[in-house]
Amino acid sequence: MVKIHDVAKLAGVSVATVSRVVNNNERVAENTRVKVEWAIRELNYAPSVLGRNLRTSKSNLLLVLLPSISNPFYTEIINGIEDTAIARGYNILLCETDSNPKREAIYFNLLRNRLAEGIISMDPSVNKNKLNELSESYPIVQCSEYDTESPIPYVTIDSEQAAYDAVTHLIESGHQKIALINSDERFLYARQRRNGYEKAMEAHGLPIKGEWIYHAEQLDFKLGQNAIRKLLQLDDQPTAVFAVSDVYAIGALKEIHRHGKKVPEDIAIIGFDKIIFSDMAFPTLSTIAQPMYEMGCISAEMIMDKINGIAVKSRVLDHQLICRDST
Amino acid sequence: MVKIHDVAKLAGVSVATVSRVVNNNERVAENTRVKVEWAIRELNYAPSVLGRNLRTSKSNLLLVLLPSISNPFYTEIINGIEDTAIARGYNILLCETDSNPKREAIYFNLLRNRLAEGIISMDPSVNKNKLNELSESYPIVQCSEYDTESPIPYVTIDSEQAAYDAVTHLIESGHQKIALINSDERFLYARQRRNGYEKAMEAHGLPIKGEWIYHAEQLDFKLGQNAIRKLLQLDDQPTAVFAVSDVYAIGALKEIHRHGKKVPEDIAIIGFDKIIFSDMAFPTLSTIAQPMYEMGCISAEMIMDKINGIAVKSRVLDHQLICRDST
DNA sequence: ACGCTAAGTGAAAACGTTTTCAGATGGTGG
DNA sequence: CCACCATCTGAAAACGTTTTCACTTAGCGT
């Protein structure tokens, strides 16, 4: 493997000069520069990032923590992160925790081991205590999910307001009996969306029935189907459903069809996230759009700023109601 | 930042001994081991992977090259890769090329820079020449897409046979006019699947009409919709469609509905890949399943073996016909 | 002719590990 | 009491960069 020393020898200069040329950030005489550049080409030299990392104590690697890559909600965010990171010379290590603490520990260690310079956490099931403790020594930001009582900066939307808007949309379409398919209320976003749901119902003088609220433990289509199955067994059946994730909503859509009912005539349904498949469902799914790509970009900017010692502020971005055929 | 030297001092031993304890791979006396372990805990020491990487000339990082993370086909493969890699102490750098040569160049450089030890390429639009050239100096394997005349080992399925099976299934269901929604035939898998389609038609004495074959340039639902729109304008309309990707098939499904036709009564449809949403489509989509998780695991094993100088052989795995409601 | 500045360059240290090699120690058999 | 071996340990080199600091040289004004 050819190293900087070889280039220096061939070019008849010192390694310091080669380094200066490679990082073209110091003044080096024009003719020595061309000599060195020639030698680099000649030997097909590529500097070892291993040596550089050690010397500079930087890895230019970012950790992105997410529960599962198969949730399409994250894909656009990741695109934003990656684009932004690359533009500033960073690369990202995509880490699926599978909500598995052991996995999580492995990834946290990458930070302690200096392999990664910072973490963007999108995992709602992350160990908050560990994250807070880590954030005292290392740069960390949260994206989408966050912790109200932690100093870790975050970028997110106003989930409560978004849920309020979604439910209000259903009410304004004439619905009074509205069900909620929620995820585990361990997660802040689930609690916030439930609050939004309840506030919207109350604001319009509508009753909230416990049996209309379904809790799914994980993010899986099947659970959206289960929810509908339960709801259709009730004596007092809802005429509309607000699902806190498109994934549930699409499962629900499917199950409603299976029962021979029509959307939105018999049951209207609105989802959350505007995942790419929401447009391909039948009928197309009304939903709440989050600016996912932008969230990714901003969280990447934030973590890189934090790494460079720049103070960052949390951001709450705007959401958007997308009315399609399911409502 | 506490380093090995500090631990050594506190424990009253040399750095060599600490290193031995950390890598618990040499015999060190039991009582010095406990002393060192105590000191490590006391100082909350974590070895710097930067120093280690330089010294050992290993980064334990794998590059995974894929065109786009939003294609759900890749997610299961990635799961397989990641699980396998982690089990052997490797981490993966997920790289989206977006079929952009500039991006590709950046990622290839990570290999030349020793940041990554090897590449698993799943990108059909990768620059073959560059990949072949690189593979002479660095460990590379291909997953799913591959190059027939390159010595780079791969893991894949028999796309031609799979396509043959899919089309035969349609024929056996009584269809004679079968359309093909294919991707760009620059890609090997597209050419293979077209061959399978044609062979199945010929084997059953059915005519192949050029107007029944649609080529999509990218992997996007919309193109599945476009395809149907074109096909429904024909005088001689097909009664069944074989789409080389579930993504096209789902778009097609949607567009068929929009035209007031029923699946499978008016038009039957079969996809390819068994992506997670294929089960959520209405009706559920018949498709060809690839052992995606296993493909991920195997390609990870292959690349790590290759890195360690172990010879590896290409693998062709079994596919499976999944009959659901769309046929 | 002399000092002074600016520009360009190189020697060497540093980054934090792992690993080789040799040395120290203690026990054992003759 | 000696020689020998086994076991454990430490000093120091090495990995490939970047960066500091000091040095050389050339150009310039006096």
Side-chain angles (χ1 to χ4, degrees):
Chain A
M1 206 76 288
V2 32
K3 40 196 160 185
I4 200 172
H5 187 83
D6 304 320
V7 177
K9 192 143 65 176
L10 180 61
V13 299
S14 75
V15 294
T17 300
V18 178
S19 174
R20 282 189 268 256
V21 170
V22 168
N23 301 286
N24 63 348
N25 54 358
E26 296 233 6
R27 32 195 190 173
V28 14
E30 189 54 25
N31 56 342
T32 69
R33 152 161 286 121
V34 304
K35 256 193 316 188
V36 171
E37 280 166 348
W38 166 82
I40 287 175
R41 264 194 315 279
E42 194 70 11
L43 298 174
N44 191 22
Y45 166 72
S48 161
V49 95
L50 268 36
R52 174 181 300 168
N53 283 352
L54 176 59
R55 171 59 218 224
T56 59
S57 306
K58 285 180 64 65
S59 66
N60 281 25
L61 247 32
L62 259 28
L63 234 56
V64 177
L65 227 56
L66 70 177
S68 160
I69 197 181
S70 39
N71 181 349
F73 167 62
Y74 295 112
T75 56
E76 267 301 291
I77 300 184
I78 294 169
N79 283 338
I81 294 176
E82 190 159 24
D83 287 348
T84 311
I86 289 211
R88 290 175 55 171
Y90 275 79
N91 280 290
I92 66 173
L93 230 34
L94 224 49
C95 304
E96 274 189 283
T97 62
D98 276 332
S99 302
N100 173 352
K102 242 161 100 186
R103 270 284 184 94
E104 196 178 89
I106 292 179
Y107 293 129
F108 281 158
N109 259 329
L110 297 183
L111 200 56
R112 307 207 322 131
N113 289 335
R114 266 75 106 225
L115 209 223
E117 296 184 34
I119 287 186
I120 298 175
S121 169
M122 305 203 278
D123 188 354
S125 60
V126 74
N127 179 336
K128 311 264 184 220
N129 292 334
K130 193 74 192 153
L131 202 67
N132 283 330
E133 180 194 326
L134 230 47
S135 80
E136 289 169 17
S137 318
Y138 305 95
I140 296 183
V141 305
Q142 292 200 282
C143 181
S144 181
E145 180 78 358
Y146 62 103
D147 183 350
T148 39
E149 30 219 74
S150 136
I152 302 178
Y154 54 81
V155 45
T156 187
I157 58 161
D158 186 339
S159 262
E160 182 177 311
Q161 182 65 44
Y164 186 97
D165 293 349
V167 174
T168 300
H169 168 64
L170 291 174
I171 294 171
E172 286 173 351
S173 307
H175 295 280
Q176 304 217 329
K177 301 175 178 182
I178 301 175
L180 170 68
I181 304 181
N182 203 1
S183 9
D184 198 321
E185 291 198 9
R186 268 185 301 141
F187 307 144
L188 178 63
Y189 80 91
R191 296 195 299 275
Q192 291 176 331
R193 290 176 196 180
R194 181 197 181 126
N195 282 345
Y197 162 78
E198 291 182 345
K199 284 197 180 165
M201 294 297 270
E202 281 161 12
H204 295 82
L206 298 175
I208 299 166
K209 290 186 111 176
E211 58 184 22
W212 289 345
I213 299 182
Y214 179 90
H215 285 101
E217 308 81 38
Q218 310 149 21
L219 208 64
D220 187 344
F221 303 103
K222 311 260 184 251
L223 298 178
Q225 296 183 279
N226 288 353
I228 292 300
R229 228 168 281 141
K230 281 260 172 73
L231 291 171
L232 292 185
Q233 285 170 357
L234 299 178
D235 293 332
D236 190 13
Q237 290 180 9
T239 65
V241 174
F242 166 46
V244 300
S245 159
D246 283 353
V247 171
Y248 298 143
I250 289 174
L253 224 43
K254 168 139 203 66
E255 189 66 17
I256 292 171
H257 285 140
R258 286 234 329 223
H259 285 264
K261 306 215 172 217
K262 289 203 170 252
V263 175
E265 294 82 354
D266 299 326
I267 300 187
I269 183 157
I270 185 166
F272 207 114
D273 286 346
K274 200 189 175 198
I275 64 177
I276 193 159
F277 279 87
S278 62
D279 202 21
M280 284 300 129
F282 175 71
T284 55
L285 186 65
S286 294
T287 190
I288 298 284
Q290 301 193 43
M292 303 189 278
Y293 184 81
E294 192 186 354
M295 286 168 69
C297 296
I298 292 181
S299 52
E301 290 288 0
M302 278 171 63
I303 194 66
M304 290 188 291
D305 281 350
K306 209 150 189 266
I307 287 169
N308 293 317
I310 302 173
V312 299
K313 284 202 308 267
S314 294
R315 296 273 302 271
V316 177
L317 306 183
D318 290 335
H319 58 269
Q320 201 186 346
L321 177 68
I322 309 285
C323 297
R324 293 197 286 218
D325 299 340
S326 69
T327 57
Chain B
M1 206 77 282
V2 31
K3 40 194 158 187
I4 199 172
H5 187 83
D6 305 319
V7 177
K9 193 144 65 174
L10 180 62
V13 299
S14 77
V15 294
T17 301
V18 178
S19 175
R20 282 190 269 255
V21 170
V22 167
N23 300 289
N24 62 349
N25 54 358
E26 297 231 7
R27 34 196 186 170
V28 12
E30 188 53 24
N31 56 342
T32 70
R33 154 163 282 122
V34 303
K35 258 195 312 189
V36 171
E37 280 169 348
W38 167 81
I40 288 176
R41 266 194 313 280
E42 192 73 8
L43 297 174
N44 192 24
Y45 167 73
S48 161
V49 95
L50 269 38
R52 172 181 301 168
N53 283 352
L54 176 58
R55 171 58 219 227
T56 59
S57 305
K58 286 181 64 63
S59 65
N60 280 30
L61 248 32
L62 259 27
L63 234 55
V64 177
L65 228 54
L66 70 176
S68 159
I69 195 181
S70 39
N71 182 349
F73 168 61
Y74 295 111
T75 56
E76 267 301 291
I77 300 184
I78 294 169
N79 284 337
I81 295 177
E82 190 160 23
D83 287 348
T84 310
I86 289 211
R88 289 177 53 172
Y90 274 78
N91 280 290
I92 66 174
L93 231 33
L94 223 51
C95 303
E96 273 189 283
T97 62
D98 275 335
S99 301
N100 174 353
K102 242 163 99 185
R103 270 286 184 93
E104 196 178 87
I106 292 179
Y107 293 129
F108 281 159
N109 259 327
L110 297 184
L111 200 56
R112 306 207 322 130
N113 289 334
R114 268 76 106 223
L115 209 222
E117 297 183 33
I119 287 186
I120 297 175
S121 170
M122 306 202 278
D123 189 354
S125 61
V126 74
N127 179 335
K128 312 262 185 221
N129 293 335
K130 193 73 192 154
L131 202 67
N132 283 331
E133 180 194 326
L134 231 46
S135 78
E136 288 169 17
S137 319
Y138 305 95
I140 295 183
V141 306
Q142 291 200 281
C143 180
S144 181
E145 181 78 358
Y146 63 102
D147 184 350
T148 38
E149 31 219 75
S150 137
I152 303 178
Y154 54 81
V155 45
T156 188
I157 59 163
D158 185 341
S159 261
E160 183 178 310
Q161 182 63 45
Y164 186 96
D165 294 348
V167 173
T168 300
H169 167 63
L170 291 173
I171 295 171
E172 286 173 353
S173 309
H175 295 279
Q176 304 217 332
K177 302 176 177 182
I178 300 175
L180 169 68
I181 304 181
N182 203 359
S183 9
D184 196 323
E185 292 198 8
R186 268 186 301 141
F187 306 144
L188 178 63
Y189 79 91
R191 297 194 298 274
Q192 291 177 329
R193 290 176 197 180
R194 181 198 181 124
N195 283 345
Y197 162 80
E198 291 181 346
K199 284 198 181 164
M201 295 295 271
E202 282 162 12
H204 295 82
L206 299 175
I208 299 166
K209 291 186 108 173
E211 57 184 20
W212 289 344
I213 299 181
Y214 180 91
H215 285 102
E217 307 83 36
Q218 309 147 21
L219 208 63
D220 187 342
F221 303 103
K222 311 263 185 251
L223 298 177
Q225 297 183 278
N226 288 353
I228 292 299
R229 228 168 284 142
K230 282 257 171 75
L231 291 172
L232 291 186
Q233 285 171 359
L234 299 177
D235 292 332
D236 190 12
Q237 290 181 10
T239 65
V241 175
F242 166 46
V244 300
S245 160
D246 283 351
V247 171
Y248 298 143
I250 288 174
L253 224 43
K254 167 137 203 69
E255 190 66 15
I256 292 173
H257 284 141
R258 284 231 332 222
H259 285 263
K261 306 214 173 220
K262 289 200 172 256
V263 175
E265 293 82 355
D266 299 328
I267 300 187
I269 182 158
I270 186 167
F272 206 113
D273 284 349
K274 200 189 176 200
I275 65 176
I276 192 160
F277 278 87
S278 62
D279 201 22
M280 284 299 128
F282 174 74
T284 54
L285 187 65
S286 293
T287 190
I288 297 283
Q290 301 193 42
M292 302 190 279
Y293 184 82
E294 192 186 356
M295 286 168 69
C297 295
I298 292 181
S299 52
E301 291 289 359
M302 277 170 65
I303 194 66
M304 291 187 291
D305 280 351
K306 208 150 190 265
I307 288 170
N308 292 318
I310 302 173
V312 300
K313 285 202 307 269
S314 295
R315 296 275 301 272
V316 177
L317 306 183
D318 291 334
H319 59 270
Q320 199 187 348
L321 177 67
I322 310 284
C323 298
R324 292 197 288 218
D325 299 341
S326 69
T327 58

